[in-house]
Amino acid sequence: MAKFKKLLALVLSICLICAVGIVSVSAANADENADVSAAFDGIKVHYYCEDGTPTIYYWNSLPQNMETSYPGPAMTSEGNNWYNYTFNSVTKINMLFVVNGEQSPELTRKSAGEYWYKGNRWYSSNPGELDSPERVDFRENSIYFIITTRFYDGDTGNNVHCWDDRQANNPDSDPAWRGDFKGLIEKLDYIKALGFTAVWITPVVENASGYDYHGYHAFDFAKVDPRYESDDTTFQDVIDAAHEKGLKIVQDVVWNHTSNFGEAFLAPMFEKDYSNLETAESLKLLEDGVLKKNYPDYENLDPSRGQYPARINCMKEDNMDTEHFYHHEKSLGWGQSTEQTGQMAGDCVDINTENPVVAKYLTDTFREYVDMGVDYFRLDTEKHINRWTLNQAYFPKFSDVENFWIFGEVCARYHGAYNEGGSSDSCFFYTWKELDSPYASASSWTDSWSTNLSTSTGHYDAYSNRNFNQKSNNAYLDGITYHTPDHSKSNGTSVIDFPMHWAFKDASSAFTAAKGEDDLYNDSTYVVTYVDSHDYGPDNMEKTRYSCGPQAWAENMNLMFTFRGVPCIYYGTEVEFAKGNVIDVGPNAPLAETGRAYFGDYMEGSVTATDYGKYTASGEVAETLNAPLSVHLRQLNLIRQAVPALQKGQYTVDSNYVSGNMAYVRRYTDSETDSLACVTISGDATFKNIPNGKYIDAVTGDVQNVTNGTLTVPSIAKANMRVYVCCASGFTGIDGQIGTNGTYLK
């Protein structure tokens, strides 16, 4: 296969990334379309410096070459520790700043404009004048989930094959590492045009394995993988660009495991040669690493029968992993405590999360991503970390960040609320704080990893039953009245609702499953709901992307966007992308034949979103946005955003207030809002004992005046829906129909 190599400038930026850790300092793209850039003839740079007047050393400009002698001329002070320098009639230039003999990284601006540099990153306007993005109540979001490398290719220069691409038969036209940060930024308007408010992206940390395009095989938690980046686009640029468009970033994080090639802090074995990424030879043995120390002849061993066991031994044997940064358990038993201490897959070596040094490393490192502006975390493989461990040593490290939220993957492919290990590995269990002795005591977490590990194992065993002793009414209305939820027993996180997901053979089954578990969650209004993902489909189609047809999809979406929880859609669902394809077979088939196929072809063309669900578009992306399910999603997003009860409300299905197959009342009340909505999906319903007054259907704009506490909705077709919003005096109402009807909502 032909190799895809980065340009020299990108290799240089990668070196800079390695030097500074997670905050990449490669020259960031400062919105080259900004008005100020378009209006400026040349390049003007502003530099923030608190240590005296900086000089600027520059070279290699275009269209004519300009250069100076080191350390360059002094910059001009403009007050408040800002300094500037102007390059007239220049569209590209290299530079670095020098302060008291210390120099910044080598930087590049590649288009005319005005730029600000502060804290190792570029801005397109003075950062002191920018509004700080505010994280909102997590439930106000709807989430669009992408695999970054499979979404949109914004920079073909950073495309690269995994070394197992040959086995998978991924052609040069579709290398596994294809989509990138630049492509994501370019298509944020597409996501906003669909009406979504948040983007869940797969892990961004540096990875290493034969097939690591997805990001779940960490090689260095503290470093963004350069294969996502371009010489002018970093992860920070993604965060900033999303926030500028009013979108939130959900970062997928993995605390349970690393790659089998070690991790930079936990088990340093290799360094990467980024000029040769398409073979395992890109990993160079660290001379002072744990692998070279224990296996000096490693390079002469057989790759599968010798080298792989050697790497595993370095992480799982007492005499090699002497700090016990990894769990040394050799087996994994489902439904027993070893599912939290054993290794679930060859490329997923289980971290000793009970080790205080490990806990500090992980929480300190991922707190830096939060400080960069990441809005929320999705915690991968949460089931494989003990709840007591998370509650004592992980979750509290993020609790001081207002509205920051973590939701976890407690994979439970079972019907009903309880998973195979009883309470211990069930979804609802992970939403509660520790309430029972001895686990509730702050002193139960110690400086000894072995003591902590023993406690976590005992914790699992203590709750491996199906008679959980906590109940909650936080998701339920008190009659027809909203009540202040009691979160005193919550651990401040939520989960993906796997029992509901597993039941999504149809919307009615999923609705029944959700109702049957809600008293076990601390507050199920915070759970994330989806039909399928990059890993699983519902029961009976577990290994394939959902393929029950667009009408079933539309009905499922109606439920997700109006019932409790935060709706999440896996990329491409809006056009039934890759329906019926096996989701993931590793390197045993081309990605184009799986549920992780490249989606970018559907987004070719131009799209500009002026608001959520409002846009102009041309080319193929216009056709994609006009697809029936895209139109459906857009209207659902707009309805949900307009009705607070659908975002944060409690619900009732009590027969005193509602009758119908999929019908419910939702209400949310605070000091400024009283929002009530009567919802019925795919059928008739009667709502009783509700407040009198005017009700407007958000789907059609139909107006009903309730005088006797009863609202009757006649029969509607499958996948159609009615959302009658109370607009009586004192209620937060709507003005009429929201959005545009399509094939199913009408």
Side-chain angles (χ1 to χ4, degrees):
M1 293 183 178
K3 291 186 176 181
F4 289 73
K5 295 185 178 179
K6 291 181 179 289
L7 299 176
L8 180 60
L10 180 57
V11 173
L12 174 61
S13 73
I14 291 169
C15 296
L16 297 175
I17 294 167
C18 296
V20 299
I22 85 166
V23 181
S24 171
V25 296
S26 59
N29 179 20
D31 192 1
E32 297 174 1
N33 295 318
D35 292 341
V36 65
S37 298
F40 195 83
D41 181 19
I43 293 175
K44 184 175 183 178
V45 294
H46 304 259
Y47 180 55
Y48 184 84
C49 178
E50 298 179 351
D51 300 318
T53 302
T55 60
I56 183 167
Y57 176 60
Y58 54 86
W59 70 98
N60 196 23
S61 66
L62 293 173
Q64 69 275 1
N65 188 35
M66 298 169 54
E67 57 185 35
T68 188
S69 299
Y70 187 85
M75 300 182 71
T76 301
S77 174
E78 56 190 61
N80 297 320
N81 296 317
W82 282 100
Y83 300 82
N84 67 64
Y85 197 85
T86 301
F87 303 96
N88 292 315
S89 303
V90 166
T91 57
K92 183 263 182 184
I93 195 164
N94 294 346
M95 74 197 81
L96 56 82
F97 305 108
V98 183
V99 185
N100 300 324
E102 298 292 328
Q103 64 186 45
S104 74
E106 297 180 1
L107 305 167
T108 302
R109 293 291 82 196
K110 300 179 72 174
S111 62
E114 192 168 2
Y115 306 100
W116 285 255
Y117 191 78
K118 180 181 180 181
N120 290 334
R121 52 171 295 216
W122 289 107
Y123 295 84
S124 58
S125 57
N126 188 331
E129 299 173 357
L130 295 175
D131 292 332
S132 297
E134 293 184 0
R135 298 177 181 90
V136 299
D137 186 315
F138 178 62
R139 297 171 297 176
E140 295 177 19
N141 293 286
S142 59
I143 303 171
Y144 190 84
F145 170 36
I146 69 165
I147 298 176
T148 306
T149 54
R150 312 307 299 159
F151 186 58
Y152 191 75
D153 186 4
D155 179 4
T156 58
N158 64 7
N159 289 0
V160 64
H161 285 291
C162 293
W163 68 70
D164 276 349
D165 268 17
R166 184 184 301 275
Q167 177 183 337
N169 281 325
N170 291 322
D172 287 352
S173 59
D174 188 25
W177 283 84
R178 185 175 180 184
D180 46 44
F181 287 159
K182 197 163 191 173
L184 172 55
I185 290 174
E186 186 175 339
K187 296 305 178 183
L188 286 173
D189 278 279
Y190 170 78
I191 296 169
K192 189 170 182 177
L194 286 170
F196 289 93
T197 64
V199 188
W200 163 6
I201 58 175
T202 40
V204 302
V205 302
E206 187 178 36
N207 264 233
S209 75
Y211 217 47
D212 62 358
Y213 68 94
H214 43 65
Y216 295 98
H217 298 161
F219 185 65
D220 187 347
F221 285 124
K223 178 182 175 184
V224 173
D225 199 303
R227 289 171 288 183
Y228 291 119
E229 299 187 317
S230 304
D231 60 348
D232 59 355
T233 308
T234 69
F235 184 40
Q236 187 68 65
D237 294 314
V238 173
I239 297 168
D240 295 344
H243 288 165
E244 287 176 9
K245 296 183 184 299
L247 298 173
K248 305 301 181 186
I249 291 292
V250 179
Q251 181 180 347
D252 209 327
V253 302
V254 186
W255 297 342
N256 172 71
H257 59 264
T258 71
S259 78
N260 73 70
F261 291 91
E263 196 275 340
F265 175 81
L266 301 174
M269 299 184 192
F270 300 93
E271 60 183 347
K272 273 195 174 186
D273 175 5
Y274 273 95
S275 67
N276 179 34
L277 288 172
E278 295 180 8
T279 73
E281 301 302 315
S282 61
L283 293 178
K284 305 298 183 182
L285 270 173
L286 288 170
E287 290 300 319
D288 58 349
V290 63
L291 186 58
K292 184 71 170 179
K293 175 183 175 181
N294 288 288
Y295 293 92
D297 63 339
Y298 171 82
E299 292 169 306
N300 297 322
L301 299 176
D302 178 84
S304 59
R305 290 179 295 177
Q307 291 184 342
Y308 172 77
R311 297 193 302 271
I312 295 298
N313 289 342
C314 285
M315 292 182 274
K316 297 184 76 70
E317 291 294 336
D318 292 355
N319 65 330
M320 299 184 199
D321 178 26
T322 58
E323 299 295 327
H324 287 263
F325 287 166
Y326 288 83
H327 285 139
H328 294 176
E329 174 65 51
K330 301 300 192 296
S331 62
L332 185 150
W334 301 104
Q336 53 189 284
S337 62
T338 55
E339 72 178 351
Q340 297 180 341
T341 58
Q343 183 171 327
M344 67 178 186
D347 276 319
C348 303
V349 188
D350 210 66
I351 298 171
N352 184 0
T353 41
E354 286 69 39
N355 188 318
V357 177
V358 172
K360 185 178 188 305
Y361 169 58
L362 289 175
T363 54
D364 284 353
T365 298
F366 283 94
R367 178 58 187 257
E368 291 191 53
Y369 291 105
V370 177
D371 293 342
M372 290 173 69
V374 169
D375 298 283
Y376 314 110
F377 282 167
R378 180 265 189 178
L379 179 57
D380 180 73
T381 51
E382 183 178 19
K383 179 180 73 172
H384 297 282
I385 306 176
N386 184 262
R387 188 192 73 179
W388 168 82
T389 299
L390 292 168
N391 282 344
Q392 291 289 1
Y394 290 81
F395 294 155
K397 303 299 183 180
F398 304 92
S399 61
D400 64 314
V401 185
E402 185 177 6
N403 282 329
F404 179 74
W405 196 255
I406 299 173
F407 65 96
E409 178 205 20
V410 182
C411 179
R413 288 168 287 169
Y414 269 70
H415 290 291
Y418 287 96
N419 198 13
E420 57 198 348
S423 301
S424 296
D425 60 1
S426 295
C427 291
F428 64 82
F429 186 69
Y430 278 81
T431 66
W432 296 85
K433 65 168 55 173
E434 300 309 322
L435 300 169
D436 300 327
S437 179
Y439 310 108
S441 170
S443 62
S444 62
W445 178 265
T446 74
D447 292 334
S448 165
W449 69 263
S450 58
T451 300
N452 294 339
L453 184 58
S454 177
T455 303
S456 74
T457 301
H459 182 273
Y460 186 101
D461 292 340
Y463 293 102
S464 57
N465 54 64
R466 292 177 174 249
N467 54 347
F468 186 59
N469 62 355
Q470 296 294 328
K471 298 289 184 179
S472 170
N473 65 355
N474 285 333
Y476 304 127
L477 291 171
D478 182 3
I480 202 73
T481 302
Y482 182 86
H483 64 93
T484 302
D486 177 8
H487 291 149
S488 63
K489 297 179 181 180
S490 168
N491 66 2
T493 73
S494 65
V495 295
I496 297 165
D497 188 348
F498 256 81
M500 187 178 183
H501 150 73
W502 195 239
F504 251 123
K505 65 178 183 179
D506 55 65
S508 181
S509 297
F511 181 51
T512 299
K515 290 185 296 179
E517 60 177 338
D518 278 358
D519 63 339
L520 292 170
Y521 286 104
N522 182 271
D523 190 342
S524 65
T525 66
Y526 287 90
V527 300
V528 171
T529 60
Y530 61 48
V531 174
D532 65 354
S533 71
H534 60 324
D535 286 326
Y536 306 113
D539 192 14
N540 295 320
M541 57 191 86
E542 171 188 355
K543 298 183 182 300
T544 60
R545 288 197 70 157
Y546 191 81
S547 58
C548 294
Q551 186 180 59
W553 255 125
E555 187 179 47
N556 292 340
M557 292 172 182
N558 290 348
L559 179 63
M560 286 193 295
F561 280 77
T562 60
F563 194 46
R564 94 296 187 266
V566 179
C568 177
I569 296 295
Y570 183 39
Y571 78 96
T573 294
E574 59 272 26
V575 290
E576 293 189 283
F577 180 63
K579 65 179 179 180
N581 283 10
V582 62
I583 295 172
D584 174 34
V585 292
N588 297 311
L591 283 169
E593 298 175 7
T594 74
R596 298 179 175 187
Y598 176 69
F599 188 59
D601 295 340
Y602 285 81
M603 293 183 288
E604 293 297 345
S606 175
V607 55
T608 301
T610 56
D611 202 347
Y612 303 105
K614 298 180 180 179
Y615 67 93
T616 57
S618 62
E620 186 64 30
V621 69
E623 295 298 314
T624 302
L625 286 166
N626 199 41
L629 288 177
S630 295
V631 174
H632 191 75
L633 269 173
R634 187 157 49 249
Q635 187 174 15
L636 287 174
N637 263 315
L638 292 175
I639 290 172
R640 190 174 188 274
Q641 290 165 22
V643 184
L646 301 183
Q647 302 171 28
K648 298 178 283 189
Q650 297 161 346
Y651 75 91
T652 185
V653 292
D654 191 306
S655 60
N656 289 313
Y657 302 98
V658 57
S659 63
N661 180 39
M662 276 191 287
Y664 38 94
V665 178
R666 296 195 68 190
R667 189 173 187 176
Y668 175 74
T669 308
D670 62 19
S671 60
E672 299 177 351
T673 302
D674 193 359
S675 174
L676 185 150
C678 301
V679 181
T680 183
I681 299 171
S682 301
D684 62 292
T686 300
F687 300 94
K688 300 167 285 187
N689 298 312
I690 59 175
N692 288 329
K694 182 168 71 173
Y695 286 72
I696 300 177
D697 176 27
V699 175
T700 64
D702 178 60
V703 177
Q704 295 289 327
N705 289 299
V706 173
T707 59
N708 61 353
T710 301
L711 173 61
T712 300
V713 180
S715 181
I716 53 177
K718 181 177 180 179
N720 201 358
M721 178 175 65
R722 295 290 178 261
V723 181
Y724 279 95
V725 178
C726 184
C727 301
S729 177
F731 283 85
T732 305
I734 59 177
D735 295 327
Q737 178 183 351
I738 298 172
T740 302
N741 292 163
T743 303
Y744 306 103
L745 293 179
K746 52 190 175 183

